[in-house]
Amino acid sequence: MKVLFISSMAIVAPDPAESRKFFIDVLGLPLKRHEGDEYYFSESIGGSKHFGVWPLSQAAEACFGTREWPADRPIPQACIEFEVETPDSVAAAAQELQEKGYDLLHGARTEPWGQTVARVLTIEGAIVGMSYAPWMHEV
């Protein structure tokens, strides 16, 4: 697999409103609310393509299709996504992870907003995504 860059970093927050106080009120980050939900993010913080505060309920829905994180899995603290070259590269990366013994949270799939992503949970409790976000490749 060939990782091009870190495409996204997000704090996974059981209490998103409380977490946002630190990142917005204390650090002064220019996070804005994603229309229609409680995800706050910015794509204008130097050194980062995308930073967000991701509600745990949304992480659970993205990974498992339910708003509750499964009790038999460590609760994630953060999510980091690594960008690869093409949507097919996401599937190849997911297969490589499986071949090396990692259980995927979900295989490669294209989300409604156009990102192709596969995710795994590390032993430290971080969600790691292998991603292809088309808008990050536009010249």
Side-chain angles (χ1 to χ4, degrees), residues 1 19-20 23 37 54 67 87 89 99 105-106 118 123 128 133:
M1 107 182 48
S19 292
R20 287 193 305 270
F23 292 102
D37 60 39
W54 197 15
R67 297 195 53 86
S89 298
E99 289 171 356
L105 293 172
H106 65 80
I123 61 171
V128 174

Side-chain angles (χ1 to χ4, degrees), residues 82-120:
F82 293 97
E83 197 70 8
V84 295
E85 295 178 293
T86 66
D88 289 341
S89 298
V90 173
Q95 181 177 345
E96 185 175 332
L97 288 167
Q98 285 182 304
E99 289 171 356
K100 291 184 177 181
Y102 293 92
D103 292 325
L104 299 178
L105 293 172
H106 65 80
R109 66 175 184 223
T110 302
E111 302 289 6
W113 52 89
Q115 174 192 28
T116 302
V117 64
R119 294 182 176 104
V120 65

Side-chain angles (χ1 to χ4, degrees), residues 31-46:
L31 304 184
K32 59 185 175 184
R33 184 173 182 258
H34 182 263
E35 187 175 326
D37 60 39
E38 290 302 308
Y39 182 67
Y40 280 69
F41 71 99
S42 177
E43 293 179 346
S44 61
I45 300 169

Side-chain angles (χ1 to χ4, degrees), residues 29-74:
L29 297 179
L31 304 184
K32 59 185 175 184
R33 184 173 182 258
H34 182 263
E35 187 175 326
D37 60 39
E38 290 302 308
Y39 182 67
Y40 280 69
F41 71 99
S42 177
E43 293 179 346
S44 61
I45 300 169
S48 175
K49 298 272 186 187
H50 181 101
F51 176 82
V53 177
W54 197 15
L56 178 60
S57 60
Q58 288 182 346
E61 193 166 359
C63 294
F64 303 105
T66 177
R67 297 195 53 86
E68 296 294 324
W69 191 264
D72 64 338
R73 303 254 186 174

